[in-house]
Structures are given as C-alpha cells and as structure tokens.
Amino acid sequence: MMIVMDENITKEDLRQFGLLMLDKMQQIFVQLNYSKNESLEPEWLKSKPVRKLLDISAGSVQNLRTTQKVRFKKVLGSYYYNRKDLEKLFADEKR
C-alpha cells in the first residue's frame, strides 16, 4: 500500500521529526532508568559500602552486628548487612 502526499517533505521537516523522536525516546529511557534504579539497589551490602554510606568505622559496623541492631549474613568470610535495617536504624536516630 502506497501513501501519496500532496506536500513535499523538506530537510527541515525531517530534522524536526528527528528531534521530536529523539526527545520522545529520551523520555522513555529516563522513565525506564528511573524504575530500574529503584530495583538495582542491592538489598544486602558488604561491610565496606556500609562504612562509606554511613561514614562509620569498621568497629562501629561490627558493633551493629554484635548488638544485633541490623540483620546480617556471613557468606564465604564476608559480612553482608540488610540495607532496609540500616536505613531504618539511622532514620530512627535522626528523630
């Protein structure tokens, strides 16, 4: 099926169409990236990222573990801490 148009398409028309398409694609990618970023944050963090995130020492991280203020797992000699527990713990302290 062939569509016949009465008007000629100019280079400017194509340029504007391209810009419009690019803008729409960027909006879609921003929306997709936003929803993915929410799910890309790991649920469990190793000790070093916890220390960086909270700006605390290794001893303070160990203290959180030994006092059982946050859930943790030990996998092959590395400790992993639950992100939600850490966020909740420090949100409570800010009050």
Side-chain angles (χ1 to χ4, degrees):
M1 182 169 151
M2 187 171 176
I3 298 175
V4 178
M5 296 177 42
D6 292 338
E7 298 178 25
N8 290 328
I9 298 174
T10 65
K11 287 182 180 180
E12 180 61 23
D13 293 335
L14 291 173
R15 189 185 72 73
Q16 287 181 0
F17 179 74
L19 291 173
L20 179 67
M21 292 299 295
L22 183 62
D23 185 52
K24 293 288 185 185
M25 288 189 294
Q26 286 175 337
Q27 288 175 5
I28 291 169
F29 285 128
V30 166
Q31 289 173 349
L32 288 173
N33 232 2
Y34 180 74
S35 63
K36 283 184 181 179
N37 283 343
E38 292 174 350
S39 63
L40 287 180
E41 289 186 351
E43 183 179 353
W44 295 89
L45 301 170
K46 289 179 84 172
S47 297
K48 191 171 184 177
V50 169
R51 291 194 327 255
K52 277 186 164 182
L53 178 69
L54 302 175
D55 193 28
I56 58 177
S57 67
S60 296
V61 175
Q62 181 181 356
N63 188 37
L64 292 174
R65 185 175 70 241
T66 57
T67 58
Q68 298 181 356
K69 290 186 178 180
V70 295
R71 287 179 287 168
F72 68 93
K73 295 179 180 182
K74 185 175 182 181
V75 179
L76 299 174
S78 295
Y79 288 98
Y80 293 84
Y81 300 88
N82 185 273
R83 176 185 289 276
K84 289 182 182 175
D85 287 355
L86 292 166
E87 290 171 355
K88 184 177 182 248
L89 175 71
F90 287 94
D92 291 344
E93 284 188 8
K94 290 180 181 179
R95 291 181 192 173

